Amino acid sequence: MGDDARRVVLPAADWASAVAAELVARLSDRPALRICLPTGETPGPVYAALVAAACDGRVSFDRATLVMLDAWVGLPPGDPARCDVRLRAELVDRLPRPPAAFIAIDVDGPDPDAAADRHDAAAARLDLAILGLGPNGHVGFNEPGSRPDDPTRLVRLAASSREAAVARYGATRVPTAGITIGLRRLLGAEEAWLLVTGERKASILRRCLEDPVGPDRPASWLRRHPRLTVFADEGAASLLPRG
Ligand code: GLP
């Protein structure tokens, strides 16, 4: 346990294909993998490479279980920013053979706390947690203040996250809250990958990996994971110590 995360730094042009190739290898070893998947802009090129690999017959998700990492609460069904909409459009619905299961977060029901509890059960046995990094150091919607034993839960979103829903992802309205797999489940996954691209993430990535671990930058808790790989492109890694 500790700061021995594997750091993979790649030129931007190679980054998505390298991450996808590593997932193709995992799936070929263990086709029934249970994976949680993020949305946002970072994983999009990886999903495109995975779709291409699946269409070429180099990988199949037909025995895999895909679990949503997080979701906005308060966006209507079909909203383009919704995480279920994005994951389906970028990956799930483009696969030539569907996954064995796609476990979405029920954000449309009357009881979001109960939906979070159900999703906590779905996230209990993850083989691989694939994660993005928020500009404030959040992971999923584990916003600053989150702790390593936090369960999957309904969360109040940081103002910057609420604004990003409209400004960056084209939401038709500002979400009211979020539901996220908690750090307890993410740290309990057999393996975790943190995907980070672009110079705009360089400063927060450095702080998450090099400053003391703590709740101000929730992604820093991932350094306690025994099998963490950070996949960064050269822009995101530009402020990390060499070597
Ligand atoms: C979003 C999501 C995260 C995502 C992160 C980074 O708000 N809640 O799951 O990984 O912020 O997003 P992006 O990849 O668009 O920078």
Side-chain angles (χ1 to χ4, degrees):
M1 190 132 94
D3 287 335
D4 47 7
R6 178 175 159 236
R7 298 183 185 184
V8 178
V9 179
L10 297 152
D14 302 334
W15 179 85
S17 56
V19 176
E22 199 142 340
L23 186 52
V24 167
R26 290 289 187 290
L27 279 163
S28 108
D29 286 348
R30 293 170 63 187
L33 217 58
R34 285 179 73 86
I35 317 166
C36 90
L37 294 174
T39 48
E41 288 171 6
T42 308
V46 177
Y47 296 155
L50 289 168
V51 169
C55 291
D56 288 351
R58 287 180 279 128
V59 69
S60 178
F61 287 79
D62 64 348
R63 292 178 55 198
T65 295
L66 306 183
V67 182
M68 266 173 62
L69 169 63
D70 55 7
W72 310 98
V73 173
L75 299 184
D79 187 287
R82 273 177 60 134
C83 301
D84 56 343
V85 170
R86 288 186 70 128
L87 263 181
R88 285 187 182 283
E90 293 179 10
L91 180 68
V92 178
D93 290 348
R94 296 176 61 200
L95 295 171
R97 297 168 72 186
F102 171 53
I103 303 178
I105 299 174
D106 174 17
V107 288
D108 301 313
D111 189 344
D113 287 310
D117 288 348
R118 289 194 299 277
H119 206 65
D120 196 58
R125 293 173 295 103
L126 293 173
D127 299 308
L128 174 59
I130 302 182
L131 307 164
L133 178 64
N136 62 357
H138 74 210
V139 61
F141 277 134
N142 292 284
E143 298 277 25
S146 297
R147 314 282 320 186
D149 57 352
D150 280 338
T152 303
R153 65 207 184 284
L154 181 68
V155 289
R156 178 196 291 261
L157 295 174
S160 57
S161 299
R162 283 162 49 88
E163 285 154 16
V166 176
R168 295 198 67 220
Y169 308 121
T172 55
R173 63 177 79 142
V174 178
T176 55
I179 291 176
T180 186
I181 294 179
L183 282 160
R184 184 171 60 192
R185 296 304 192 201
L186 300 178
L187 293 170
E190 195 175 307
E191 187 176 1
W193 292 359
L194 183 64
L195 311 186
V196 198
T197 55
E199 274 182 35
R200 76 183 186 95
K201 296 275 180 76
S203 171
I204 189 63
L205 180 62
R206 182 191 161 90
R207 280 181 280 149
C208 288
L209 294 184
E210 300 294 330
D211 287 359
V213 170
D216 292 349
R217 291 165 297 276
S220 69
W221 295 117
L222 297 173
R223 286 154 58 194
R224 294 189 172 179
H225 195 292
R227 276 184 77 196
L228 170 67
T229 302
V230 179
F231 289 97
D233 71 2
E234 287 173 343
S238 56
L239 297 178
L240 296 179
R242 299 266 162 201

